[in-house]
Amino acid sequence: MTDSLSAAEAGPPRCPLCGRVGLLALVEPSGAALCARCGEVFLWINEHLARELRRKKEMIRLTTELRKLGLDSLDVVEVVMDLEEEYGVSVPDDVVQGWVTIADLVRWISEDRDADAA
Ligand SMILES: [Zn+2]
């Protein structure tokens, strides 16, 4: 799906979110190589938000700010409820308040799941 110009030159790419070996090269300018876990969460968020907000998926990137997508706090609460259902996590309010970008959200979900999945 993507052509990877910079593969293999500097060792395996690292996931920018959690530092694991990155596997999933995202189709975005940064070419971020997320690990399987972060990648899965990101793709879920991406698809979910694209559908909810009727935006193109390419508009929703790791560095995209939630507020810039037009998500107000109520919208975010709804997304979080869906996330909690999907991933079986419980996200504290103060954590949600601290999320600025999509990356923040993906990182948190990914870390939380990391705890019991070794
Ligand atoms: Zn990761």
Side-chain angles (χ1 to χ4, degrees):
M1 211 156 61
T2 54
D3 51 338
S4 46
L5 288 171
S6 59
E9 293 223 279
R14 293 283 164 177
C15 176
L17 299 186
C18 69
R20 290 161 175 273
V21 174
L23 299 172
L24 184 68
L26 291 175
V27 188
E28 64 169 64
S30 72
L34 296 181
C35 67
R37 184 167 294 136
C38 295
E40 184 202 321
V41 177
F42 175 75
L43 289 179
W44 187 91
I45 298 283
N46 185 286
E47 213 155 278
H48 191 81
L49 289 181
R51 194 171 54 228
E52 292 287 313
L53 301 168
R54 295 188 184 83
R55 299 264 185 152
K56 290 189 175 170
K57 288 183 190 174
E58 305 86 78
M59 303 275 296
I60 301 165
R61 296 179 177 153
L62 284 171
T63 52
T64 304
E65 291 182 24
L66 299 174
R67 218 175 295 167
K68 292 216 172 120
L69 287 171
L71 283 169
D72 62 26
S73 42
L74 269 180
D75 295 326
V76 173
V77 167
E78 279 186 27
V79 171
V80 167
M81 281 166 53
D82 291 337
L83 266 173
E84 290 181 332
E85 200 170 306
E86 178 75 16
Y87 291 102
V89 295
S90 172
V91 190
D93 280 350
D94 59 322
V95 168
V96 176
Q97 311 270 318
W99 288 342
V100 177
T101 60
I102 299 286
D104 294 335
L105 192 161
V106 173
R107 185 187 294 116
W108 193 89
I109 298 290
S110 176
E111 271 174 7
D112 191 61
R113 298 172 72 217
D114 204 23
D116 47 0

